[in-house]
Amino acid sequence: MISKLSEIIVFLGLTLASIALWFNADGLPTSKRYAQVDSDLWPKIVFGALAICCAIQMIKAVSKALKAQAETEAAGAGKAQGYYLRLGLISALVLGYFFALNQIGFLFATVIFLWAAAWVLPYRNLLAKLLFAPLFTVMLALFFSYALSLPLPRGEGIFYDLSQALF
């Protein structure tokens, strides 16, 4: 029940934050030339869609929590074996990924993170575990670098040189 409650609180917070940021977009600089399609349009679209999606997810989480509570009261069930251990490991991986991005760069940090996460999660397909991380990382790198022309963290030292050579 605690995990369901935390999920509801997170979605509630995200919904409220999205609504607040939608209203804060009015403070962005305006242009007389583009009166209706100005610098606040894109943030308002993103935060409006995010607020709607988070509100829907929150409603789903509330209904799941109520249904799960009714089922556990009837059956007395618990979490799957190793749930909290996997949750802790994935949380540590996310923190490690955050700090590794600037040190070893996007490509290496993402591949390592996805491989490690694949082994923590209870998924049995070995081929998918091995191939998903590099393929997904290459697709993301191509999308951000070439389609969006956004720079990705390249790391420091030898990792910078390797990232330069790769893209």
Side-chain angles (χ1 to χ4, degrees):
M1 184 62 187
I2 291 175
S3 64
K4 298 292 182 194
L5 183 61
S6 63
E7 185 178 0
I8 293 167
I9 291 170
V10 167
F11 282 123
L12 177 64
L14 286 172
T15 303
L16 294 174
S18 298
I19 292 169
L21 289 170
W22 188 85
F23 285 113
N24 282 346
D26 289 330
L28 294 172
T30 59
S31 169
K32 293 179 183 178
R33 183 174 181 192
Y34 304 105
Q36 295 300 319
V37 183
D38 214 346
S39 61
D40 68 338
L41 178 67
W42 179 248
K44 282 188 172 184
I45 290 172
V46 169
F47 289 124
L50 183 63
I52 291 169
C53 290
C54 288
I56 290 170
Q57 287 298 103
M58 184 181 61
I59 292 168
K60 284 183 179 179
V62 167
S63 67
K64 278 184 185 178
L66 293 174
K67 183 178 178 183
Q69 184 179 5
E71 288 175 358
T72 55
E73 287 175 357
K79 289 283 182 198
Q81 182 179 3
Y83 171 80
Y84 292 108
L85 176 63
R86 282 194 305 274
L87 182 64
L89 288 173
I90 291 292
S91 299
L93 279 173
V94 169
L95 284 173
Y97 178 70
F98 174 75
F99 291 114
L101 269 176
N102 287 330
Q103 299 298 317
I104 64 174
F106 175 80
L107 291 176
F108 299 109
T110 304
V111 168
I112 291 168
F113 170 76
L114 290 175
W115 269 334
W119 293 104
V120 169
L121 296 176
Y123 188 67
R124 297 182 195 268
N125 189 339
L126 180 63
L127 186 63
K129 284 183 177 186
L130 293 174
L131 293 179
F132 176 75
L135 293 176
F136 186 72
T137 303
V138 167
M139 286 181 2
L140 277 179
L142 290 174
F143 178 71
F144 283 114
S145 295
Y146 297 109
L148 297 178
S149 298
L150 292 173
L152 295 170
R154 296 189 185 256
E156 297 175 358
I158 191 169
F159 296 107
Y160 179 80
D161 297 334
L162 288 171
S163 291
Q164 285 291 103
L166 291 174
F167 71 98

